[in-house]
């Protein structure tokens, strides 16, 4: 059956003027970057409220930085997989294409995607909690934990933690793309985290065909036009092949 579904989605993509893809940790799974939830998920060893919150960072910046330093090393050792590369192909072949990601690993950029809306920030950006200065830092491992700014302030990862607001500018751009889209692909996300998980619903309410690609059913599956069960690294290249 997956073949009919795949053929249908290929036709939708061929006819669409504006295509949007929303990705989650699952698109980086085949690059060896652990996902957040489910078997072997990142949160398995740690609980989100323990580490990915401003309170946790205020309480124990070193512990939070040990986790991020470990993740940066994991991501630095990873390479973009065929799913990331398929979205680069899609960006080049669609008249309008918007890539929205919940991931902070930077693998879409390394794959060659030109415009990436990063809803939850970027592991490789640091922000000073003192003077607010942002810097790009790819040291693996970091020279000191927690890293410090020249002003003496402690640097934090420039990511959006639970309880923190997303960038209004990025969220508006993502919502606008969802409203304008004819096809909205949702790839490798458990669709649990808000407000990201509302974007496919917004797209569907505005007439888009919502297509899910995931290894398993999710909270979103019942709200999609087509939900294809399988690995993104296998399915996406088939969707975008000439
Ligand atoms: C905010 C950055 C308010 C950090 C992340 C109760 C109800 C509703 C909402 C809430 C609630 N209580 C609290 C909230 C709000 C909260 C939230 O949504 N909580 C959830 C958990 C209930 N949201 C927030 O706090 C957001 N902010 O609401 O602010 C506000 C407003 C104004 C002013 C002040 C405050 C901020 C959310 C952002 C949190 N930051 N990341 C970091 O990464 O270190 S979220 C984190 O989860 C990652 O970004 C990750 O991407 C994201 C979502 O997880 P997924 O990507 O979906 O990954 P997951 O492992 O869950 O799933 C992987 C999927 O892939 C699975 O389905 C699997 O089957 C599939 N898969 C695996 N392998 C493959 C595959 N699929 C295909 N192929 C494969 N090979
Ligand atoms: Zn500073």
């Amino acid at each position: 059956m997956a073949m009919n579904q795949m053929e249908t989605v290929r036709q939708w993509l061929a006819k669409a003027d504006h295509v949007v893809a929303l990705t989650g940790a699952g698109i980086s799974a085949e690059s060896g970057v652990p996902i957040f939830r489910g078997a072997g998920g990142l949160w398995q060893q740690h609980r989100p409220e323990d580490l990915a919150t401003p309170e946790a960072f205020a309480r124990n910046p070193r512990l939070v930085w040990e986790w991020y330093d470990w993740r940066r090393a994991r991501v630095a050792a990873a390479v973009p997989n065929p799913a990331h590369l398929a979205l680069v192909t899609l960006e080049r072949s669609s008249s309008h294409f918007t890539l929205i990601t919940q991931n902070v690993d930077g693998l879409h950029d390394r794959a060659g995607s030109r415009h990436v809306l990063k809803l939850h920030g970027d592991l490789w950006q640091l922000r000073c909690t003192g003077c607010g200065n942002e810097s790009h830092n790819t040291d693996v491992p970091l020279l000191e934990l927690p890293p410090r700014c020249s002003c003496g302030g402690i640097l934090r990862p420039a990511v959006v933690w639970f309880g923190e607001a997303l960038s209004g500018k990025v969220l508006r751009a993502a919502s606008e793309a969802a409203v304008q889209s004819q096809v909205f692909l949702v790839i490798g996300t458990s669709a649990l985290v808000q407000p990201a998980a509302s974007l496919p619903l917004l797209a569907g309410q505005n007439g888009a065909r919502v297509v899910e690609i995931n290894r398993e059913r999710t909270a979103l599956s019942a709200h999609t036009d087509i939900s294809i069960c399988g690995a993104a690294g296998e399915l996406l290249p088939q969707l975008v092949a000439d």
Side-chain angles (χ1 to χ4, degrees), residues 23-27 29-30 35-38 43 52 67-68 71 102-104 120 123 159-166 187-195 213-216 218 230-233:
T23 64
I27 199 167
E30 289 156 274
I35 62 171
F36 283 83
R37 295 166 186 82
W43 303 118
W67 182 50
Y68 278 96
R71 286 177 65 192
Q102 300 173 86
N103 300 340
V104 297
H120 298 157
L123 266 184
V159 299
V160 179
W161 279 326
F162 288 102
E164 293 188 318
L166 279 65
I187 304 153
T189 179
S190 57
L192 293 173
V193 172
Q194 295 296 351
I213 291 178
N214 199 308
R215 274 202 191 289
E216 62 192 16
T218 69

Side-chain angles (χ1 to χ4, degrees), residues 12 36 61 93 155:
W12 288 349
F36 283 83
S93 62
L155 296 171

Side-chain angles (χ1 to χ4, degrees), residues 7-218:
E7 199 37 49
T8 303
V9 176
R10 281 171 56 87
Q11 286 167 16
W12 288 349
L13 287 172
K15 282 202 226 82
D17 177 45
H18 193 155
V19 176
V20 174
L22 168 67
T23 64
I27 199 167
S28 298
E30 289 156 274
S31 298
V33 179
I35 62 171
F36 283 83
R37 295 166 186 82
L42 276 177
W43 303 118
Q44 223 64 26
Q45 294 95 322
H46 312 292
R47 293 183 314 136
E49 51 278 8
D50 292 349
L51 296 172
T53 67
E55 294 77 19
F57 189 73
R59 194 171 51 239
N60 190 339
R62 185 180 172 81
L63 171 71
V64 173
W65 262 116
E66 279 170 4
W67 182 50
Y68 278 96
D69 201 32
W70 175 77
R71 286 177 65 192
R72 285 161 52 107
R74 288 295 299 260
V75 170
V79 292
N81 69 64
H84 296 107
L85 298 172
L87 292 184
V88 178
T89 304
L90 198 52
E91 180 178 67
R92 292 175 183 154
S93 62
S94 311
S95 38
H96 290 274
F97 179 77
T98 305
L99 177 54
I100 306 167
T101 189
Q102 300 173 86
N103 300 340
V104 297
D105 58 31
L107 286 178
H108 284 303
D109 305 84
R110 282 173 52 195
S113 290
R114 303 276 305 284
H115 309 289
V116 186
L117 291 176
K118 297 184 176 90
L119 292 178
H120 298 157
D122 184 342
L123 266 184
W124 305 107
Q125 286 291 108
L126 307 186
R127 185 168 67 241
C128 178
T129 56
C131 70
N133 180 51
E134 278 224 5
S135 55
H136 188 73
N137 173 305
T138 53
D139 296 342
V140 170
L142 279 160
L143 307 180
E144 62 168 335
L145 293 182
R148 288 202 175 264
C149 174
S150 49
C151 81
I154 287 184
L155 296 171
R156 60 164 282 177
V159 299
V160 179
W161 279 326
F162 288 102
E164 293 188 318
L166 279 65
S167 144
K169 185 164 169 283
V170 173
L171 190 52
R172 269 191 305 280
S175 305
E176 187 52 33
V179 167
Q180 299 298 330
S181 66
Q182 281 83 44
V183 177
F184 192 102
L185 304 172
V186 190
I187 304 153
T189 179
S190 57
L192 293 173
V193 172
Q194 295 296 351
S198 300
L199 290 169
L201 304 180
L202 178 64
Q205 284 152 12
N206 285 274
R209 302 279 199 178
V210 180
V211 177
E212 179 180 49
I213 291 178
N214 199 308
R215 274 202 191 289
E216 62 192 16
R217 283 186 69 76
T218 69

